[in-house]
Amino acid sequence: MKCAYCGKRFSGDEPYCSDRCRKQGHAAARLASKTRIPFWILAAGAGITALVGIVFFIAGAPDQGFLALGAAAVALGLALVAFPRGRRSGSAAGQILGGVLFALGVICVLLWR
């Protein structure tokens, strides 16, 4: 069986391999439950902004589309970094992806003319 927090293999019937992982897992679940609504608001806002950017590209205004897509990447990157989700390894991967998206979005916004 794998630990629900750290992912280590262990033998046992409980979802966590140790008392430390149980405490950390419960703390991570509480944080995820508290930040669920702000995370989805930022993610939905980023999705809507990305759609607006795509519409601008289709309409022939690539400058505004580039800015909107950059802003969407910044918003989604911020959501992933500020509000981590999931287990320890998944949370770290999400935060790394969020940092990359945030940096790419900032570059897009800075390069906008």
Side-chain angles (χ1 to χ4, degrees), residues 36-85:
R36 181 180 62 226
I37 292 173
F39 173 80
W40 286 111
I41 288 172
L42 270 175
I48 291 169
T49 306
L51 286 175
V52 168
I54 291 170
V55 168
F56 278 132
F57 270 116
I58 292 172
D63 289 339
Q64 288 83 8
F66 197 63
L67 178 65
L69 288 175
V74 167
L76 187 58
L78 182 66
L80 287 171
V81 170
F83 306 118
R85 322 288 320 145

Side-chain angles (χ1 to χ4, degrees), residues 98-109:
V100 169
L101 275 174
F102 185 80
L104 287 175
V106 167
I107 289 170
C108 286
V109 169

